[in-house]
Every structure is written in C-alpha cells, then in structure tokens.
Amino acid sequence: MSYGDLLHNVIEVRGLTYRYHGGIEALCGLDLDVRAGSRLALIGANGAGKSTLLLHLNGTIQPESGTIRFGGELADYSREGRRSWRQQVGLVLQNPDDQLFAPTVEEDVSFGPLNLGLTDEDVLDRVRETLHLLKIEELARRQPWTLSHGQKRLVAIAGVVAMRPRILILDEPLSGLDWSGSRQLIRLLKGLEETGITIVMATHDIEFAASWASEIAIIERGRLLCQDEATEILTNPDLLARADLPIPLSVEVWMRLRRQRVICSQERLPILRDELLERLEQSLFRGRPEHG
C-alpha cells in the first residue's frame, strides 16, 4: 500500500490553467492532491506558480479551465459557496501586512469569527483560545503596526486559525524571519498538527521541507513535476537535479547514517535536527576505544 492510499484526499486539483493579464501563463494543466492530515510542502522557483496555486486552493481565484474538488464535491464559486470554502480552507499570505488591518491584535483575530455569526461571548472565547494556542496572549491589546515581522506573521496565522479551518495554507511563512522566529513558527506548526489540521505550505527552503513535510510537490513552470512522500523525493538525486534543487544537507547525513545502519532502513524522514545530531554523534564514536 502506498502512502497516498493511507490518506483520503480533501482537495483534488486536476488540469488547472490560469493566465494573468497580458497573457502570462501561471498554471498550465496542473494536478495536485491534498490529503487529510498531511504536511504538504510545495517547492519551486520564484514564478513557478506556487502562490497562484494557493489562491486557487481557497477559492480566491477561479481557474480558466480544470477542476477543483473539495471533500469530493466540485468547487462552488458562488458567493455563499466561496464563503463556506474559505471557512474550511484558511490562507495566510506571504506578507502579513496584507492581512492585518484592525486597531488591535484582539480585534484583528476576532474579525473572522464575527463574520461567522457567532455570539460576542463565543468570539471572545475563540480569540482567547487561539492566542493561547499560538502563545501570543501578551499581544492582544497591541497595535499590529507596532509588532515585529515575526509577531505580525503569528497574528496573521491566528486570524485564520480562529476560523477553525480544516486546512491551513501558508505562503512562504519563513520569509523574513530570523532563526528565533523560524523556530517559534516550527513549534507553532507542530502544535497545530496535533489538533488534526491539514497544512499546505509553499516554501523555497528545501532544508525546512526536509525537516517538516510528510509529502512534497515540486512545481515547475506552472505544472506539477512530481508529488510523493518526502523521503522518496528528497532521496532522489536525479529528480532534484532535474528540478534544479539541491539535496538537503540533513538528508545527505540521514542517508549516510542509514547506510551505516545507525538509522533503521525503515525509518522515514522527517527526522528532527537534534535527533539527527545525536545519531551522527553515535556514528562518529562507534567503535572507538574508551580512554581511561
């Protein structure tokens, strides 16, 4: 049984085509499967069509041709259909300033739940729960324009998570973050995964994809080059070379440790950085005589 057989598709994209004004072709018959509970990384060069694809996945853009199925049903582009769609598929844009507009963080995060018709009490509960989940309660009364880039990104994510979507889509979420901000975001994603949410992320950081993704789709010039389990793609040098992508250093180390049987041959990526370093240390010192 293949990896794809283990999870059912929540979004199916077939033959998606889209052109921007001026005839610029962004998507050219693209296919994609988003499986429930997966951590799907979309990788590709700038201009490959990743952001355009994400805008299709939550109904912001309607394709010229091709189909999108959500939960097995054809996408409904009516006003009510798109509203329902976006409640279940939340999109976080690359630039958080494009999503933050309210006077305070608390008001910004409450905007989505208020539009769901919830009571004021229920909205307040959702805002508090979401800020706690993202560990940014202290930002509740802050003005968004006074926040750091990393804080703005977390608030933008909070505004989407407060809608309680089934699928969370993020466009280059590590862009502009320092090491500390990236670590905080990674911890956040782990917490969200534990709630059962499906996460789709466009990223150019293949090292991050290697440590986080369960599945990878490589997008090239508006088409799907390949989609498979992360291990199958990241350990295929010929495929990565064809896509002009490097083998992540962490994967090279992982492959060497597996050849030396420090890592079980059945053990799959991703493997956490700290665990990888521990295994590497075991390999380096294996067989060395003890000094007394």
Side-chain angles (χ1 to χ4, degrees):
M1 180 178 290
S2 69
Y3 175 77
D5 294 329
L6 299 177
L7 301 171
H8 68 276
N9 292 342
V10 288
I11 296 181
E12 294 181 349
V13 175
R14 295 292 180 268
L16 220 59
T17 298
Y18 186 79
R19 289 179 178 83
Y20 285 106
H21 295 298
I24 300 172
E25 196 168 35
L27 300 177
C28 316
L30 184 141
D31 297 337
L32 187 77
D33 292 319
V34 179
R35 312 182 209 281
S38 63
R39 303 182 304 276
L40 174 61
L42 306 180
I43 297 178
N46 290 336
K50 302 188 299 299
S51 294
T52 303
L53 172 59
L54 296 187
L55 291 171
H56 279 81
L57 293 184
N58 88 323
T60 299
I61 293 178
Q62 185 170 351
E64 293 180 10
S65 62
T67 61
I68 299 177
R69 291 183 179 272
F70 180 70
E73 300 293 328
L74 278 174
D76 179 0
Y77 289 96
S78 68
R79 182 174 180 179
E80 189 58 36
R82 291 196 194 209
R83 180 180 177 184
S84 175
W85 191 350
R86 290 169 189 167
Q87 288 176 16
Q88 299 185 70
V89 184
L91 172 63
V92 181
L93 301 174
Q94 181 173 351
N95 184 355
D97 287 323
D98 292 338
Q99 290 184 255
L100 305 180
F101 54 87
T104 68
V105 166
E106 191 174 50
E107 291 174 272
D108 208 293
V109 177
S110 69
F111 179 79
L114 279 171
N115 280 279
L116 294 178
L118 302 176
T119 65
D120 290 346
E121 184 178 354
D122 287 340
V123 169
L124 183 58
D125 286 342
R126 282 210 188 186
V127 171
R128 288 173 175 169
E129 178 185 319
T130 303
L131 295 180
H132 176 72
L133 177 64
L134 274 64
K135 295 180 171 55
I136 54 173
E137 300 101 316
E138 74 281 1
L139 302 181
R141 300 302 175 87
R142 292 275 300 274
Q143 297 170 317
W145 64 269
T146 68
L147 304 178
S148 69
H149 182 79
Q151 290 171 328
K152 288 179 180 179
R153 190 173 297 283
L154 292 176
V155 172
I157 293 173
V160 174
V161 171
M163 299 283 285
R164 295 183 180 172
R166 293 173 56 190
I167 302 170
L168 178 63
I169 299 175
L170 304 118
D171 193 0
E172 297 287 357
L174 298 180
S175 175
L177 296 184
D178 58 17
W179 183 84
S180 176
S182 296
R183 293 280 289 183
Q184 185 178 4
L185 180 59
I186 291 169
R187 287 194 296 268
L188 162 64
L189 293 177
K190 181 174 175 57
L192 292 177
E193 291 158 19
E194 291 172 354
T195 69
I197 195 168
T198 299
I199 301 178
V200 181
M201 179 190 304
T203 180
H204 66 274
D205 190 336
I206 194 168
E207 289 286 352
F208 170 70
S211 67
W212 173 79
S214 61
E215 191 171 358
I216 288 176
I218 298 178
I219 310 299
E220 185 180 59
R221 297 179 182 178
R223 294 183 174 84
L224 178 70
L225 178 60
C226 60
Q227 179 178 0
D228 206 338
E229 187 176 358
T231 305
E232 298 302 318
I233 287 180
L234 296 172
T235 58
N236 187 331
D238 293 338
L239 175 61
L240 292 175
R242 177 183 169 190
D244 198 25
L245 293 169
I247 300 177
L249 178 59
S250 58
V251 174
E252 290 197 69
V253 173
W254 179 84
M255 292 172 67
R256 181 163 297 188
L257 292 177
R258 192 168 67 170
R259 285 197 297 270
Q260 295 179 358
R261 299 184 180 179
V262 176
I263 289 179
C264 176
S265 61
Q266 284 79 33
E267 193 167 344
R268 297 286 190 175
L269 284 171
I271 185 169
L272 297 177
R273 176 180 178 274
D274 292 344
E275 184 181 354
L276 188 61
L277 291 174
E278 182 180 342
R279 300 292 186 84
L280 179 59
E281 186 177 59
Q282 291 173 5
S283 175
L284 291 173
F285 288 95
R286 176 188 288 177
R288 287 193 179 185
E290 295 185 5
H291 297 282

